[in-house]
Amino acid sequence: MKVLRLILLVVHIGVFFLLAAMLLNAYVPPKTFPWFNLLSLGFPILISVYMMLTLFWIFSWKKRAFVFLFLGLMFFKPVIRWINYSPQKNETPDLKVLTMNAKGGYYGIDHINDYISSQNADIVMLQEYGGYMKYHFDGLKQAPDSWVIQVFSKHRIIEQKQLIESDPTYNNAYASQTDIEIRGKIYRFINVYLQPFKFKKNMVKLVGKSEEDEQKVKNVVKRLIPTFKMHQEQISSIRKSIDNSPYPVILAGDFNSVPNSYEYYHLLDGLQDAFVEAGKGSGTSFHDYKFPIRIDYIFSSKNIKPLTYKVDRSVKLSDHFPVMATFKLEK
């Protein structure tokens, strides 16, 4: 038993250091050291192992349990970026925002039209919406056309600007800023679709054969690392729009990045995550794999108060669930 406990202690310490290294994504860019970003992908597994081992020490009546409980407080915020419970806010919202990766409308454009029209959102941001698809949402006007991302609004659109233009030889990312007047005040809405990893299920599904599985893992890593570095470049253009904005900002879209990643920390800087402020349950928004993956977000300036946040798992209009949030605007 002593040998088993020693092994578990070594494993526990190792998991703690991996989790702590993941926090360095707030400071270390992928072009400098991309491996920290890989740890953010494994966060649900790492934190689950850490919690189970902590419970083991508690039930074993070991004093080290208190040490690991205390150290575990470092990961409270990283946890609530995945799973959260916020008390209900009894205020009347001024604004409802919906974002969704529409997967080109291949799950049925009529279903998307009917669903989004029924949600009565003020602002709708779509990614992978398919430039050849025709969307008609009740009461919403379409911003100037874009091939991969699109904004629809109940309110007057003042101006739109593309922040990232895709280059087929290099990237498939898009981002736009759309300035919209709401109740006499202008707000900047930034719609984001960062570089996709372009994985297919058979590329990541292990088959139980050591050599084949090992090669699959190597291929996955080879695809992840360059994409992380591309995200770093793409974020810099988006950050300029946020930092130089004369208006309050709402940033939403498909980041193709999980919480606690470099992308998450650096897009969130100066903003607030509506899920952390007002979400309940799991933030997982991508359902095509049997693994918790949250890559769709709604962030806002700190003078825009999130009241509710919802990942709508009642519909499957895409491989992403629709995500929506309501806000109280500053008077």
Side-chain angles (χ1 to χ4, degrees):
M1 191 63 178
K2 286 184 178 180
V3 174
L4 175 61
R5 286 177 177 168
L6 178 60
I7 292 172
L8 291 179
L9 178 60
V10 171
V11 170
H12 206 169
I13 293 171
V15 170
F16 167 77
F17 279 110
L18 289 175
L19 287 168
M22 179 202 68
L23 300 181
L24 294 175
N25 281 318
Y27 311 101
V28 182
K31 286 187 177 181
T32 300
F33 192 79
W35 301 98
F36 292 144
N37 229 16
L38 281 174
L39 296 174
S40 65
L41 295 171
F43 178 77
I45 295 173
L46 291 172
I47 197 64
S48 296
V49 172
Y50 187 91
M51 293 171 67
M52 286 189 292
L53 289 172
T54 302
L55 287 173
F56 174 80
W57 300 127
I58 291 172
F59 290 126
S60 299
W61 293 96
K62 294 294 181 181
K63 292 180 180 178
R64 66 194 64 160
F66 295 101
V67 176
F68 285 111
L69 278 172
F70 177 75
L71 292 174
L73 294 175
M74 292 173 56
F75 312 119
F76 176 73
K77 282 191 174 181
V79 167
I80 65 173
R81 292 166 185 153
W82 285 89
I83 301 175
N84 189 27
Y85 181 81
S86 300
Q88 185 172 344
K89 298 176 177 67
N90 296 316
E91 298 181 62
T92 303
D94 299 315
L95 180 72
K96 183 176 183 179
V97 176
L98 185 153
T99 181
M100 185 180 73
N101 181 313
K103 193 65 175 178
Y106 295 137
Y107 282 55
I109 189 170
D110 290 338
H111 296 306
I112 295 175
N113 281 330
D114 292 343
Y115 174 79
I116 291 182
S117 293
S118 72
Q119 294 306 305
N120 194 31
D122 293 276
I123 307 294
V124 172
M125 300 188 194
L126 298 184
Q127 305 85 41
E128 284 195 80
Y129 91 110
Y132 52 88
M133 296 292 186
K134 299 300 179 184
Y135 294 90
H136 302 285
F137 306 137
D138 294 345
L140 296 176
K141 296 168 287 188
Q142 183 172 323
D145 201 24
S146 176
W147 182 252
V148 173
I149 58 175
Q150 190 54 266
V151 174
F152 300 82
S153 172
K154 275 186 181 180
H155 306 277
R156 186 165 75 95
I157 297 169
I158 305 297
E159 184 180 11
Q160 185 178 72
K161 175 184 176 183
Q162 298 300 315
L163 303 176
I164 300 174
E165 289 284 3
S166 178
D167 176 359
T169 62
Y170 181 60
N171 73 69
N172 297 107
Y174 282 82
S176 67
Q177 68 178 41
T178 308
D179 296 338
I180 299 175
E181 183 181 357
I182 304 173
R183 299 182 180 183
K185 188 173 181 178
I186 299 175
Y187 297 83
R188 175 161 294 177
F189 293 84
I190 300 177
N191 191 7
V192 173
Y193 178 66
L194 292 185
Q195 178 72 21
F197 293 101
K198 297 183 179 180
F199 286 129
K200 295 180 180 178
K201 286 185 180 180
N202 63 341
M203 297 170 65
V204 298
K205 186 177 181 180
L206 302 181
V207 295
K209 298 178 181 178
S210 58
E211 289 186 7
E212 188 174 340
D213 288 347
E214 182 180 350
Q215 188 59 46
K216 280 190 174 186
V217 171
K218 288 180 179 178
N219 291 338
V220 166
V221 172
K222 285 179 182 178
R223 187 169 293 222
L224 288 171
I225 299 301
T227 305
F228 291 155
K229 294 178 180 180
M230 292 171 72
H231 284 177
Q232 180 182 339
E233 293 182 7
Q234 293 158 10
I235 287 170
S236 64
S237 299
I238 299 167
R239 281 300 334 166
K240 288 178 184 177
S241 177
I242 298 169
D243 296 337
N244 297 329
S245 176
Y247 316 119
V249 171
I250 289 181
L251 169 71
D254 176 2
F255 295 2
N256 279 306
S257 309
V258 296
N260 310 307
S261 62
Y262 173 87
E263 296 90 331
Y264 178 92
Y265 282 118
H266 288 266
L267 286 173
L268 183 66
D269 186 25
L271 305 176
Q272 56 188 340
D273 184 341
F275 174 71
V276 172
E277 300 298 321
K280 295 180 176 65
S282 168
T284 294
S285 57
F286 182 78
H287 61 78
D288 212 26
Y289 300 156
K290 294 180 180 178
F291 188 82
I293 301 177
R294 181 190 176 207
I295 56 177
D296 301 277
Y297 303 87
I298 303 177
F299 295 167
S300 70
S301 293
K302 293 182 180 178
N303 57 355
I304 304 175
K305 184 179 181 181
L307 299 181
T308 64
Y309 184 99
K310 180 181 180 181
V311 180
D312 193 348
R313 298 183 179 85
S314 68
V315 292
K316 285 190 177 180
L317 306 171
S318 162
D319 51 359
H320 296 241
F321 291 119
V323 174
M324 61 197 79
T326 61
F327 299 90
K328 186 74 174 176
L329 301 178
E330 190 179 56
K331 299 298 183 183

